[in-house]
Amino acid sequence: MIYSGKAITVTESDGGIAELCFDLKDDSVNKFNALTLNELQEATAAIAARSSIRGVIVTSGKPVFIVGADITEFGTLFGASEDDIAEKILEINRTVFNAFEDLPLPSVAAINGIALGGGFEMALVCDYRVMADTARVGFPETKLGIIPGYGGTTRLPRLIGADNAIEWIASGKEQAADQALKFGAVDAVVSPELLRDAAVSLVKQCVDGKLDYRAKRQEKQAPLKLNAIEATMVFETAKAFVAGQAGPHYPAPVTAIKVMQKAAGMSRDEALREEARGIAKMARTQAAKNLVGLFLGDQLLSKSGKSLAKKGGKVERAAVLGAGIMGGGIAYQSAVKGTPIIMKDIAQAGIDLGLSEAGTLLSRQVERGKMTVAEMTGVLNRIQPSLSYDGFDNVDIVVEAVVENPKVKHAVLAETETKMRSDAILASNTSTISITHLAEPLKRPENFCGMHFFNPVHRMPLVEVIRGEKTAEDAIARTVSYALAMGKKPVVVNDCPGFLVNRILSPYIGAFMGLVRRGVDFVAIDRAMERFGWPMGPAYLCDVVGIDTGVHAGAVMAQGFPDRMKYDFKTCHEVMFENDRLGQKNGRGYYAYEADQKGRPKKIVDESVAALLAPVIEGSETLDDETIVDSMMIPMCLEAVRCFEDGIASSATDIDLALIYGIGFPPFRGGALHYIDDFGIASFVARADELAASAGPLKGAYLPTDKLREMAASGDAFFG
Ligand SMILES: NC(=O)c1ccc[n+]([C@@H]2O[C@H](COP(=O)([O-])OP(=O)(O)OC[C@H]3O[C@@H](n4cnc5c(N)ncnc54)[C@H](O)[C@@H]3O)[C@@H](O)[C@H]2O)c1
């Protein structure tokens, strides 16, 4: 044994080959935490000190190679000044990664499983890389708002060319073994059981002088082989393209390109200095702070979800009632992820629609080469269309997705319950109606809960699992298990009108209607909110959701929270509804819609809308972007605060994640409660009070809660 630590061991085998093995104790994965970095430095020194060693292979004792840096340690590092972060990262490069790369003997990485971020960087400091055909490599850093920092932007372009490195780093995508081999990021791909032998054989060829590892090493330490014109072409074109794709709120991908461009003519050590400056700059951005927070929050959510799912047990067979927009989507998602499902409707037309919707989604996947025709047939076979309750006595869960009408739902739920096994779960996909109220006619309310999907089901990650007054924890656990099996992100919430996400969305839409009433142009509101980071502005969102759905949901919310969601004026939504402008579904709402070349609805400004709205407009205000944004965001964020105080979700993190996964809250802003923290609670409260003064009938939606005022006074925050 040459070295034995808690994360790394180094052993010597015949012929003077050392094996440096990453195997972090008491953890399921290898990652670069402070301990591992420290041990890598020590292990490298131990190898250097052993004169009998002639080559090194780097392996992993776990199913993964190394998943990357330990993100839980980012908070401490990123809290330092930009200069200090850069200095710290440079020091790690110098003392750990460069020290290993500069060992006077050849090294080969045996990439057995995923090697991401720092894990891939470890592989890149080796002279050669052999990869299992099942493994994946990549740099996901830009998705966290940062760039690779342990030599990724330095070594990768020198190895695979600037254009390919830009694509890999800016996209953050994982790369399969065949791609890695094709681009030259690895030198060989073999089946997993041959991996270690292949690595040993490669390193021995270096030792025997059959392979010139020094020349190979030199390639990734020298300036890039691009002349000035080529460099301008590659980097400038990429910057323009990537900036357009990422948008102004996500500066990391473009920063990575700028770093590679600046460092193109530099040696390794100079290039690493540029890289360290680049990552330090990104680490200090709000986007990085929030995206890293989101990643960690997501890990917590998935951990609690998995532990609930374990208790709840697997759903073997499911059923859905209603084959409409939502029922069809639920059936598709269940079948695609492997759970057979009965799709029941009262009308053959409904069933035909549900099946054709699933068929369209599947055909698209076949066209894109993501699915074979046989797989598509398999998925369709898992959806059993039905006009009767046949087979309901053999399912573990039934999801009700019939029309949003409490009377109809009461009747349907009560009837369905009699057709099911007594231990099976009944769940409603209602978007607004109280779960406790829906449970009233049921004999087994303990087996009933909400399972609220978002439209379109196959695309939106969130599922709210709603606990009614009588819902048993077993029912919640089983429903969470099903949501996870469907590839969704379940968030467990307590019952109230609109549950978590629609309750928080409602005052936002109210604020929109209030601004329109004051004469603010809705196109200007949409533009301001899209610039703020929303995927679509509120008018466009209402058109996509459906004005009728919005009006209906609004009525339920008004009843639930009259102090801030009931309006004593005629709203622009009502005008749209009365004029049969239902949104995208009938081609006209706030905007008009026409099919684009691919047949998808494209919005166009419809000049006739202004005249329709004129009777309900009582002002002619023009507001700047900042005022529009604050006027829209404050009521939404305050409702998130109320949900937090009312215990609707179990944590502030769950609230923020639900908004990001359910309605596309801009991820770089971290969610509503992170947004308040970043605003500064005292400034937020002051701004809310200021806007309340001019909000007229919407005043209630702008008034901070007493607890929030207390937090402002005591300098408290929702996070850390
Ligand atoms: N559309 C959305 O954006 C959205 C989002 C989340 C939740 N929801 C909720 O999902 C539910 C369904 O909404 P949708 O938009 O899919 O409606 P939809 O009108 O598209 O579909 C409803 C379907 O239910 C069928 N149906 C009616 N009574 C039935 C019965 N007794 N048994 C079986 N089927 C019956 C109808 O024939 C129709 O096919 C509603 O509660 C709605 O609030 C909708």
Side-chain angles (χ1 to χ4, degrees):
M1 184 70 76
I2 298 174
Y3 178 83
S4 174
K6 292 196 174 84
I8 294 175
T9 52
V10 184
T11 48
E12 182 177 356
S13 61
D14 292 350
I17 305 301
E19 176 171 352
L20 185 151
C21 179
F22 285 88
D23 197 352
L24 186 59
K25 267 208 185 95
D26 303 325
D27 211 317
S28 57
V29 295
N30 291 320
K31 56 194 168 195
F32 275 119
N33 53 11
L35 170 93
T36 307
L37 287 168
N38 191 35
E39 289 194 2
L40 180 55
Q41 187 182 354
E42 291 172 1
T44 304
I47 294 170
R50 187 69 69 102
S51 58
S52 58
I53 299 300
R54 303 167 69 203
V56 189
I57 61 165
V58 177
T59 61
S60 158
K62 302 203 189 286
V64 302
F65 183 65
I66 303 168
V67 293
D70 183 350
I71 295 170
T72 59
E73 292 182 358
F74 280 8
T76 327
L77 176 63
F78 291 7
S81 72
E82 220 177 288
D83 283 350
D84 287 351
I85 298 172
E87 195 38 56
K88 175 78 188 156
I89 286 175
L90 264 182
E91 187 197 321
I92 294 173
N93 272 305
R94 212 171 34 239
T95 57
V96 182
F97 293 102
N98 293 356
F100 184 88
E101 186 176 49
D102 294 340
L103 279 171
L105 33 88
S107 55
V108 176
I111 307 170
N112 61 313
I114 58 170
L116 301 178
F120 188 25
E121 284 167 316
M122 179 66 218
L124 292 179
V125 298
C126 295
D127 298 318
Y128 290 89
R129 284 150 293 284
V130 199
M131 185 170 176
D133 52 14
T134 48
R136 290 189 316 272
V137 295
F139 283 129
E141 283 85 347
T142 55
K143 290 185 180 166
L144 293 176
I146 55 171
I147 67 170
Y150 295 152
T153 71
T154 300
R155 294 186 180 93
L156 190 65
R158 284 156 178 77
L159 204 62
I160 69 171
D163 46 354
N164 297 322
I166 288 170
E167 156 71 17
W168 284 30
I169 293 173
S171 73
K173 278 190 198 142
E174 293 179 10
Q175 309 288 338
D178 56 343
Q179 293 297 303
L181 184 64
K182 181 174 147 199
F183 289 104
V186 300
D187 304 285
V189 170
V190 296
S191 56
E193 63 279 10
L194 301 177
L195 185 68
R196 196 179 172 285
D197 287 351
V200 170
S201 152
L202 250 178
V203 85
K204 280 190 171 160
Q205 290 181 57
C206 295
V207 170
D208 296 345
K210 290 182 192 146
L211 286 172
D212 185 355
Y213 77 90
R214 288 187 190 84
K216 178 99 171 142
R217 185 179 297 183
Q218 179 57 25
E219 273 174 33
K220 59 186 163 92
Q221 298 185 339
L224 273 173
K225 292 189 196 79
L226 280 180
N227 66 37
I229 298 172
E230 286 168 337
T232 309
M233 286 292 289
V234 170
F235 290 112
E236 293 302 325
T237 320
K239 270 194 294 191
F241 177 74
V242 170
Q245 292 237 309
H249 302 299
Y250 297 89
V254 172
T255 303
I257 302 174
K258 284 186 186 163
V259 163
M260 288 189 264
Q261 181 172 25
K262 212 161 169 200
M266 296 178 178
S267 66
R268 178 193 73 182
D269 292 354
E270 290 169 315
L272 285 173
R273 208 162 291 130
E274 279 311 316
E275 184 178 292
R277 267 192 220 120
I279 185 175
K281 191 168 173 200
M282 289 302 98
R284 296 290 304 158
T285 59
Q286 213 178 62
K289 178 181 80 67
N290 285 330
L291 292 172
V292 167
L294 184 62
F295 179 88
L296 295 173
D298 186 72
Q299 282 200 322
L300 286 180
L301 181 71
S302 112
K303 209 168 159 192
S304 68
K306 278 185 195 151
S307 106
L308 270 177
K310 214 168 156 194
K311 280 184 214 146
K314 190 172 174 224
V315 165
E316 301 287 351
R317 274 171 298 275
V320 62
L321 287 168
I325 303 175
M326 297 307 286
I330 292 164
Y332 163 84
Q333 190 65 24
S334 183
V336 134
K337 293 290 177 184
T339 311
I341 186 161
I342 303 172
M343 181 173 74
K344 178 188 181 303
D345 204 291
I346 44 170
Q348 184 60 42
I351 287 187
D352 294 345
L353 196 74
L355 282 177
S356 93
E357 192 54 30
T360 311
L361 289 173
L362 290 165
S363 309
R364 232 176 269 157
Q365 297 205 43
V366 173
E367 276 163 28
R368 288 190 197 137
K370 289 190 172 161
M371 190 179 265
T372 63
V373 175
E375 281 165 342
M376 168 170 163
T377 313
V379 173
L380 285 173
N381 282 341
R382 282 195 284 276
I383 304 177
Q384 185 193 324
S386 173
L387 288 169
S388 77
Y389 285 105
D390 284 355
F392 270 57
D393 54 353
N394 196 23
V395 300
D396 303 312
I397 189 165
V398 177
V399 184
E400 170 277 310
V402 305
V403 284
E404 186 77 347
N405 175 325
K407 276 196 193 129
V408 175
K409 286 202 192 280
H410 269 164
V412 170
L413 290 168
E415 181 178 62
T416 307
E417 191 185 39
T418 64
K419 316 286 180 190
M420 296 165 56
R421 269 193 345 247
S422 62
D423 65 331
I425 308 303
L426 183 55
S428 174
N429 179 47
T430 173
S431 1
T432 48
I433 309 168
S434 154
I435 293 303
T436 302
H437 174 60
L438 284 182
E440 277 164 16
L442 298 180
K443 291 202 177 66
R444 297 186 296 273
E446 67 279 9
N447 284 358
F448 177 67
C449 66
M451 188 177 193
H452 182 209
F453 291 86
F454 290 73
N455 189 14
V457 176
H458 66 281
R459 206 170 294 144
M460 300 306 288
L462 181 68
V463 170
E464 285 176 314
V465 176
I466 305 132
R467 185 188 284 121
E469 237 168 65
K470 295 189 175 158
T471 307
E473 287 311 298
D474 285 356
I476 295 289
R478 177 63 74 90
T479 309
V480 164
S481 163
Y482 184 40
L484 282 178
M486 287 172 86
K488 297 295 167 191
K489 296 195 180 281
V491 171
V492 178
V493 302
N494 285 319
D495 194 21
C496 68
F499 318 123
L500 181 67
V501 168
N502 282 344
R503 173 171 160 184
I504 295 172
L505 183 63
S506 183
Y508 174 84
I509 302 300
F512 165 74
M513 298 193 294
L515 287 181
V516 172
R517 178 173 177 266
R518 285 160 59 183
V520 186
D521 176 19
F522 69 80
V523 179
I525 301 175
D526 270 7
R527 254 191 245 122
M529 299 318 289
E530 283 163 17
R531 275 197 286 261
F532 175 81
W534 283 95
M536 54 181 83
Y540 188 23
L541 174 71
C542 291
D543 275 359
V544 171
V545 168
I547 300 293
D548 48 344
T549 306
V551 167
H552 190 85
V556 178
M557 300 313 295
Q559 211 181 357
F561 306 103
D563 60 322
R564 51 192 191 274
M565 298 187 208
K566 187 168 193 270
Y567 313 115
D568 61 358
F569 55 89
K570 186 163 182 179
T571 67
C572 46
H573 257 42
E574 287 167 311
V575 174
M576 291 289 122
F577 185 64
E578 282 170 11
N579 285 281
D580 194 34
R581 299 190 71 102
L582 303 184
Q584 257 183 12
K585 66 172 74 164
N586 72 346
R588 53 211 202 112
Y590 285 97
Y591 298 92
Y593 294 87
E594 56 183 33
D596 69 6
Q597 282 167 338
K598 288 185 177 165
R600 289 177 307 208
K602 183 176 141 223
K603 80 172 155 61
I604 40 177
V605 173
D606 183 340
E607 302 296 346
S608 69
V609 172
L612 287 178
L613 291 178
V616 295
I617 290 181
E618 297 195 1
S620 57
E621 291 185 48
T622 313
L623 301 179
D624 57 29
D625 267 23
E626 190 186 334
T627 311
I628 292 178
V629 165
D630 290 350
S631 304
M632 292 291 300
M633 292 307 295
I634 285 175
M636 164 179 264
C637 293
L638 284 174
E639 202 56 40
V641 171
R642 292 190 188 93
C643 285
F644 179 66
E645 290 175 4
D646 293 351
I648 297 302
S650 57
S651 68
T653 301
D654 277 11
I655 292 179
D656 278 358
L657 286 175
L659 291 172
I660 289 166
Y661 295 141
I663 48 171
F665 193 105
F668 73 96
R669 297 200 186 272
L673 300 177
H674 271 103
Y675 182 67
I676 300 179
D677 272 358
D678 286 343
F679 205 108
I681 297 192
S683 313
F684 183 88
V685 164
R687 182 68 167 146
D689 283 334
E690 187 187 333
L691 291 177
S694 56
L698 286 180
K699 190 174 174 189
Y702 287 86
L703 290 177
T705 63
D706 291 344
K707 275 196 187 150
L708 193 68
R709 290 187 194 283
E710 281 166 27
M711 286 174 81
S714 64
D716 224 349
F718 289 100
F719 301 91

